[in-house]
Amino acid sequence: MRSTTTAFSILFSFFSLFAAAQSPVTIQIVDWAEGFFNPTDLANAGDDRLFVAQQTGVIAIVPDSGTVLPTPFLDISSKVIFTAEQGLLGLAFDPAYTSNGFFYVHYVADDGLGHRSVVARYSVSTDPDVADPLSEVVLFTWPQTSVEHKGGDLAFAPDSTLFISFGDGSSGGDPQNSAQDLSDPLGSILRIRPEPGGTYSIPSDNPFANAGGDTLPEIWAYGVRNPFRITVDAPSGALWFGDVGQSSWEEVDRWPVDDNSGPDFGWRCHEGFVDYDFSLCDINTPFVDPLAVEANALNGGSWCAVAGGRVYRGAAHPRLQGRYLFADYCSGQVRSLRPDGIGGWTEEVLLQNGPVGMVAIDQDASGELFAVNNFQHKLVHIVDPCPPLPNIGVASDSLHAPPGVGYAWYADGVLLPMETGAVIAPMASGNYHVLVDLGNGCVLSSDTVQFVISTLAGALGAPTLRVRPNPAHDEVLI
């Protein structure tokens, strides 16, 4: 009797631990393609290809085979200067690319009079894998005075407006206070509407569309230091970006794309949640706080440059659904932000010691996540190492767990310590779910099913009780 009790206690303890050990959400980095030179961005054109922008001014195509095509999609290296943080930095395909063949790039050029940022439109040629290098139409340009903090990204919103990110253009500290200067696009995020003729218009609801004077009507948000990667998450209607910090805090920011109130994200007055340089700042200005901050290596942390990412909207990895993934260039750490259900956000580490050098995270046409690494010169695939867990199978008198190597069943949230098999026959009605050990460190929880026991066998001691017809239809006779 004593040994039986001990065995039961051990069994109960084992399954209590098993039940508490559902695997946390993690990611795995899988090599996809290589051979790039300082990749800076990636994008898709709505098909099975990925396009990788490289700092030199070359855009390569990676089909779904993972082999880089030998002929570049576009080569504008003769126009691009790629020293320090300059070069070809951003790439975005027009929402109507399949019909108009337009795509947009953001790069730094040297025209003999000095460095300048250029936002330009190009067109694909008759060959879908080759763009026309002579089709450039410059939409926007601005002079640069340093080799750092260019921003450089592009992102289309569902209404076909184009967001453009600019860093403060300084070598540190924003000495010109450009990020708080509405007559200067540096340190701002612009919003324009590209027009078919090669020009652009100012959306009428831009916050400074009618400001007049020296205020640039293109500015949509300001007070940013170096928003190197931005993205618009269409399902949630929000623009996300990682803003590279000065020396203390890396930050992640978010703002609804339909809120055109002109948010000020605080730089150079603030860095993260704290003051940086308030000498030219208005103490009454309402600054937008970041959603998350990470300590820089110079501030006791391990991060050095946040690489803004994407909200996962694919189907292959349900546990990543709705999470915004972002990374750090130096530490290789990848984190996520997801809604906490009460108006806030939950931050989690998905990869502790990943490869250093990740600069951009984006998606393919089906919403699966990829990243470029300009230290390893690779394109990588981001996956959940645990496979999706199928639903519980329901039979007339039993529940069937998805295949696995171990099981822990629950009824109404209470562990059933003696139910350790793949199939159980519930003795009572209730809400059932199961934890399944899939092997390889993956212990996942199933969906919850409601199981109701309904039988008339032996009811009221009447063995002759019958229900007709059997199987029952809309009406039955007892």
Side-chain angles (χ1 to χ4, degrees), residues 37-38 40 53-59 74-91 103-112 114-120 122 133 136 138 147 150 152:
F37 184 84
N38 281 19
T40 54
Q54 298 165 88
Q55 194 174 0
T56 55
V58 175
I59 300 174
L74 179 69
D75 185 347
I76 55 171
S77 55
S78 61
K79 300 180 179 182
V80 171
I81 182 167
F82 58 90
T83 57
E85 296 180 14
Q86 303 176 112
L88 174 56
L89 303 175
L91 169 65
F103 64 97
Y104 298 81
V105 294
H106 192 166
Y107 64 91
V108 180
D110 185 354
D111 59 4
H115 297 181
R116 57 191 174 90
S117 286
V118 177
V119 177
Y122 280 85
E136 182 181 54
V138 175
V147 298
K150 304 306 173 199

Side-chain angles (χ1 to χ4, degrees), residues 359-372:
V359 294
I361 299 173
D362 215 307
Q363 65 183 15
D364 66 7
S366 62
E368 299 306 319
L369 295 183
F370 290 78
V372 288

